[in-house]
């Protein structure tokens, strides 16, 4: 039996922190917008996307938002990246079906999310690279994926240089990529020639992910009872600010905002409001 045979028997869930999928801060007007997806997808301040949907367009068809075209495109591209990651996990692990996809704007709760999906919470575990979650007995800490094996790097560079050569990039795009933080740099510019090239860090080996120890359930229960493991919040992969005013303080507050947006959905917005010409930030019905 090979590795994919084993993984095909495991139910996989992609559980990710993407606050902007619930409270969207526009880059195109001074507005913060509550995103109301299909009613059945909202539970306890999280979005449970159906795993039988294969495209961002299909997901967006289930919404009725008052958004600018640029905002809708921004959200669509975020969805496409998320669906691409889901497809890769599905293919690499040889799964029988696409993984469940859960998006949250709150500290991750493995047991509650597992129960919402119909799984036994005792058998649910989260592999996460957020160090703030390391005390949670349901979380297995992993090293951030910042380096790639050399053979995979070669394949990735070949793909990037074929599909999007740096010299063919629009100026706005390469300026954005060159402005990345040192740990996230994926494009470099030669100081003399000005030529641009992709940069992907490599490593000789990758650490294997830990396996849950089912025998430590008693110790895990003691840790949870002591109140530890409740501090986990954000993942470095999705750099939402912990102190951001956009992050609701509780599931109840987020549900209240969503409910408020539904009750106001019949209120007509003027063109001036839609364009965000009123001063300051506002929470708009979506």
């Amino acid at each position: 039996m090979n590795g994919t045979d084993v993984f095909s028997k495991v139910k996989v869930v992609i559980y990710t922190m993407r606050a902007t999928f619930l409270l969207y801060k526009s880059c195109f007007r001074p507005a913060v917008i509550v995103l109301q997806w299909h009613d059945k997808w909202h539970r306890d301040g999280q979005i449970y996307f159906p795993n039988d949907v294969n495209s961002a367009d299909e997901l967006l068809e289930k919404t009725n938002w008052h958004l600018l075209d640029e905002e809708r495109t921004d959200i669509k591209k975020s969805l496409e990246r998320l669906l691409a990651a889901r497809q890769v996990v599905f293919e690499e692990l040889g799964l029988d079906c696409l993984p469940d996809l859960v998006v949250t704007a709150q500290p991750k709760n493995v047991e509650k999310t597992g129960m919402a999906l119909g799984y036994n919470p005792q058998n649910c575990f989260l592999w996460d690279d957020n160090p703030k979650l390391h005390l949670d007995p349901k979380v297995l800490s992993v090293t951030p994926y910042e380096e790639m094996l050399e053979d995979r790097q070669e394949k990735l560079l070949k793909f990037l240089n074929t599909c999007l050569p740096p010299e063919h990039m629009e100026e706005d795009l390469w300026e954005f990529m060159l402005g990345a933080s040192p740990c996230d740099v994926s494009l470099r510019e030669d100081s003399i020639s000005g030529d641009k090239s992709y940069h992907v860090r490599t490593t000789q080996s990758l650490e294997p992910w830990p396996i849950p120890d089912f025998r430590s359930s008693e110790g895990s229960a003691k840790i949870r009872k002591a109140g530890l493991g409740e501090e986990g919040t954000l993942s470095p992969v999705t750099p939402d600010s912990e102190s951001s005013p956009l992050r609701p303080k509780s599931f109840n507050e987020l549900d209240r905002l969503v409910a408020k947006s539904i009750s106001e959905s019949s209120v007509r917005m003027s063109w001036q409001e839609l364009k965000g010409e009123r001063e300051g930030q506002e929470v708009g019905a979506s």
Side-chain angles (χ1 to χ4, degrees):
M1 178 179 291
N2 59 36
T4 56
D5 290 331
V6 176
F7 289 128
S8 67
K9 306 302 180 183
V10 177
K11 297 299 182 182
V12 177
V13 179
I14 296 179
Y15 190 16
T16 181
M17 169 75 72
R18 304 286 173 98
T20 54
F21 279 3
L22 290 129
L23 292 175
Y24 177 75
K25 182 179 181 181
S26 176
C27 297
F28 309 98
R29 54 174 168 152
V32 178
I33 305 164
V34 179
L35 298 184
Q36 171 64 19
W37 301 78
H38 192 285
D39 290 348
K40 293 182 179 179
W41 301 352
H42 284 271
R43 266 179 284 172
D44 296 324
Q46 302 190 137
I47 311 170
Y48 293 75
F49 287 117
N51 58 8
D52 59 349
V53 176
N54 296 310
S55 73
D57 286 327
E58 288 182 71
L59 292 173
L60 291 173
E61 285 176 1
K62 304 293 185 180
T63 65
N64 184 25
W65 300 332
H66 299 288
L67 297 178
L68 303 178
D69 290 343
E70 296 88 346
E71 294 166 344
R72 193 174 184 87
T73 298
D74 187 23
I75 295 172
K76 178 181 177 180
K77 295 305 178 182
S78 295
L79 280 171
E80 287 177 346
R81 291 192 292 271
L82 195 56
L83 294 177
R86 182 185 68 170
Q87 187 66 27
V88 169
V89 171
F90 168 71
E91 293 180 6
E92 288 295 315
L93 296 183
L95 303 177
D96 292 333
C97 60
L98 287 169
D100 291 303
L101 186 54
V102 182
V103 175
T104 187
Q106 295 294 317
K108 294 176 181 177
N109 188 317
V110 180
E111 293 183 340
K112 191 171 185 177
T113 301
M115 288 189 290
L117 291 168
Y119 301 138
N120 183 345
Q122 292 185 345
N123 298 332
C124 295
F125 295 88
L126 173 68
W127 283 260
D128 205 297
D129 60 4
N130 184 352
K132 292 185 178 181
L133 297 176
H134 77 282
L135 290 178
D136 190 323
K138 304 300 291 184
V139 174
L140 292 94
S141 296
V142 299
T143 304
Y145 187 61
E146 299 174 340
E147 299 173 322
M148 183 176 285
L149 296 175
E150 291 184 0
D151 61 330
R152 289 182 173 260
Q153 182 225 36
E154 293 175 3
K155 293 179 182 178
L156 177 59
L157 291 178
K158 182 179 179 180
F159 172 81
L160 291 173
N161 286 312
T162 300
C163 297
L164 186 62
E167 61 270 19
H168 293 170
M169 283 185 182
E170 294 183 4
E171 183 177 351
D172 289 345
L173 177 56
W174 59 253
E175 282 187 349
F176 172 77
M177 294 181 67
L178 289 173
S181 60
C183 64
D184 295 325
V185 167
S186 57
L187 189 72
R188 287 181 170 176
E189 183 178 32
D190 188 281
S191 59
I192 299 176
S193 66
D195 292 340
K196 298 167 186 63
S197 60
Y198 288 110
H199 170 68
V200 180
R201 293 164 54 186
T202 61
T203 182
Q204 296 296 320
S205 62
L206 295 172
E207 287 187 28
W209 282 17
I211 303 298
D213 183 1
F214 293 96
R215 295 170 298 177
S216 64
S217 58
E218 182 178 351
S220 298
K222 290 180 181 178
I223 293 177
R224 180 168 295 278
K225 186 175 181 180
L228 301 178
E230 299 297 331
E231 300 300 322
T233 52
L234 307 182
S235 168
V237 178
T238 50
D240 291 313
S241 171
E242 287 187 58
S243 58
S244 169
L246 303 186
R247 294 187 66 242
K249 297 178 181 179
S250 67
F251 284 143
N252 290 337
E253 182 180 349
L254 183 57
D255 288 338
R256 178 185 62 77
L257 289 172
V258 172
K260 184 174 184 289
S261 73
I262 297 173
S263 65
E264 294 180 354
S265 60
S266 60
V267 178
R268 175 173 294 180
M269 299 174 65
S270 69
W271 177 245
Q272 287 76 19
E273 289 175 316
L274 186 60
K275 278 294 187 181
E277 293 180 3
R278 295 193 304 186
E279 294 184 359
Q281 294 183 345
E282 59 189 67
V283 177
S286 60

